[in-house]
Amino acid sequence: MKVPFVDLKAQYLSIQPEIDRAIADVIADTAFISGSYAKKFEDEFSAYNGMKHCISCANGTDSLEILLKAMNIGSGDEVIVPAISWISTAEAVSSVGAKPVFADVNEHLLIDPVQAEKNITTNTKCIIPVHLYGNPSDMSVLMEIAGNHGLKVLEDCAQSHGAELGGKRTGTFGHCASFSFYPGKNLGAYGDAGAMMTNDDDIARLSRAIANHGQEGKHNHIMEGRNSRMDGIQAAILSAKLPHLDDWTNQRILIAEKYNKQIVSGKVVKPIVRENARHVFHLYVIRVPDRSAFMRYCSEKGIETAIHYPTPLPLLPCYAGQRFMPADFPVAAKASAEIVSLPMYPEMTDKQINFVAEHVNEFFS
Ligand SMILES: Cc1ncc(COP(=O)(O)O)c(C=O)c1O
């Protein structure tokens, strides 16, 4: 049996007529960039999240960068980011001329609020919690810390579409939120796409302008911006997929429950779902000893696995100049040597889930 890490084709086949029609409509209307399809998706996605503004853009990395700019964060400013994330979270901070300051993570690999607070200086302007793997960060504590220090909070929701904490959606706690619709995300386009979300009228207005060459109305450039607009085809695909998101999410949660039940080896640390959290399992990540041998074994058995992420951000070569040591981020450093992501996508069959769980148990027996 083959168990791919994700199977985007299976999802396409399950909704093929809707997707094909959406793409054909955009072509027939020649609505290729921004325009009515992007506007429709923005309205639908802000309604889905119960938020006032959704502004579409070209990808998730841009959405982080544009929001930082819209909050006037730049040279001389510091932004606190977790030590484990995809590089975009830190990269966006550097791109606007500010300095990413890394805080160690907690046992869930989410930014540790205590470590975040320790890193606050007079230059700190913002904290970016990442709801990594689809698991909500500890937003009530982070918002309190941010409030006490007059900081902005930008939620990186690239992996957490539909996740909740205490019944409240991720992306609705902070001053603003960024989303990626990279194809493999829980809500994925058929190319690059992203969005900014906020209830703040000023952040929304500036974000919209920055993403479209600084324009507020045609040829009225209130500033220099950039070209970061969503393609009509991506917007139409996202509109076609959004009504399915909750079903797909429930399916992911069910698969995680099955993995959690069926993986019984005491050597494997499984993801913990906190009582008040709706973890949407963009990734199902376990921690294991002897990871390389385990991944080799999985590969031989036809099971694809991956690592998210093998190196904590501050220990990447691009930050070598700051001379960080693993001991500076003990939780992230230890975890990144043990984590491995198992196949996870809504269309997985019970046979595939059982096959993966059996082989995890067999290897660690
Ligand atoms: C946590 C996180 N932030 C930001 C991004 C950036 O998104 P994009 O790939 O759409 O630029 C990603 C996507 O890979 C991500 O996982």
Side-chain angles (χ1 to χ4, degrees):
M1 180 186 296
K2 287 263 180 275
V3 189
F5 189 68
V6 290
D7 189 347
L8 299 181
K9 183 86 177 272
Q11 189 184 73
Y12 168 59
L13 292 176
S14 74
I15 52 167
Q16 185 173 3
E18 295 160 60
I19 295 290
D20 290 357
R21 198 177 325 116
I23 294 172
D25 285 350
V26 176
I27 295 171
D29 290 347
T30 62
F32 297 125
I33 293 175
S34 297
S36 57
Y37 290 90
K39 169 83 173 71
K40 179 169 179 286
F41 174 68
E42 288 173 354
D43 291 346
E44 290 164 353
F45 198 60
S46 51
Y48 175 80
N49 288 293
M51 292 289 281
K52 197 167 169 191
H53 304 285
C54 171
I55 301 107
S56 57
C57 69
N59 57 68
T61 310
D62 281 4
S63 67
L64 285 161
E65 202 179 314
I66 292 167
L67 284 168
L68 289 168
K69 275 201 173 148
M71 292 189 290
N72 198 26
I73 291 168
S75 177
D77 297 334
E78 293 177 4
V79 177
I80 297 173
V81 302
I84 294 191
S85 183
W86 173 241
I87 186 151
S88 300
T89 314
E91 202 175 42
V93 175
S94 303
S95 296
V96 300
K99 180 182 174 195
V101 174
F102 301 100
D104 204 359
V105 293
N106 59 22
E107 82 216 90
H108 304 290
L109 308 198
L110 304 170
I111 193 165
D112 181 340
V114 175
Q115 297 302 321
E117 189 163 28
K118 266 192 193 162
N119 279 292
I120 294 172
T121 70
T122 49
N123 294 326
T124 308
K125 291 281 154 44
C126 179
I127 303 174
I128 308 184
V130 179
H131 306 302
L132 197 71
Y133 310 150
N135 196 13
S137 302
D138 202 345
M139 289 313 299
S140 47
V141 182
L142 288 165
M143 291 311 294
E144 196 181 320
I145 292 169
N148 290 341
H149 295 271
L151 308 179
K152 293 276 197 267
V153 174
L154 190 180
E155 294 179 67
D156 184 337
C157 300
Q159 303 188 4
S160 73
H161 315 76
E164 290 174 9
L165 195 66
K168 193 169 153 57
R169 284 262 156 82
T170 55
T172 66
F173 292 87
H175 299 85
C176 55
S178 63
F179 285 85
S180 166
F181 305 112
Y182 180 81
K185 299 297 193 217
N186 287 21
L187 180 62
Y190 284 9
D192 276 317
M196 289 77 77
M197 205 171 71
T198 184
N199 279 334
D200 183 305
D201 294 342
D202 291 331
I203 295 175
R205 187 175 73 86
L206 289 171
S207 296
R208 194 174 285 287
I210 293 167
N212 191 18
H213 298 290
Q215 288 179 104
E216 206 163 58
K218 202 165 183 176
H219 298 308
N220 181 31
H221 301 267
I222 57 166
M223 62 175 83
E224 283 183 334
R226 60 199 291 168
N227 179 354
S228 182
R229 299 171 299 213
M230 189 185 278
D231 286 350
I233 285 179
Q234 304 309 340
I237 288 167
L238 290 169
S239 283
K241 288 177 85 173
L242 183 58
H244 299 282
L245 178 60
D246 285 339
D247 285 346
W248 290 332
T249 302
N250 289 333
Q251 212 40 46
R252 286 176 183 275
I253 293 168
L254 215 62
I255 294 165
E257 283 170 1
K258 287 179 183 170
Y259 272 151
N260 273 356
K261 198 161 151 220
Q262 291 180 33
I263 296 173
V264 290
S265 169
K267 292 181 189 157
V268 176
V269 179
K270 295 175 279 187
I272 298 163
V273 180
R274 286 117 74 215
E275 216 167 72
N276 62 344
R278 184 175 192 241
H279 183 329
V280 294
F281 287 98
H282 172 56
L283 294 166
Y284 181 90
V285 178
I286 55 174
R287 293 174 64 160
V288 299
D290 208 2
R291 179 176 65 188
S292 305
F294 171 63
M295 291 180 76
R296 253 194 324 275
Y297 173 81
C298 286
S299 172
E300 282 160 19
K301 299 293 175 190
I303 299 167
E304 275 179 18
T305 57
I307 305 173
H308 300 87
Y309 297 92
T311 309
L313 293 175
L315 303 180
L316 287 170
C318 55
Y319 301 113
Q322 295 187 61
R323 299 183 185 281
F324 292 121
M325 302 297 287
D328 297 327
F329 305 93
V331 182
K334 183 167 188 307
S336 59
E338 299 172 349
I339 47 181
V340 55
S341 310
L342 299 182
M344 168 57 82
Y345 54 92
E347 297 76 17
M348 273 186 93
T349 63
D350 277 344
K351 256 191 173 162
Q352 289 175 312
I353 301 163
N354 299 345
F355 187 76
V356 175
E358 273 164 24
H359 284 91
V360 175
N361 290 330
E362 197 172 296
F363 184 84
F364 291 108
S365 63

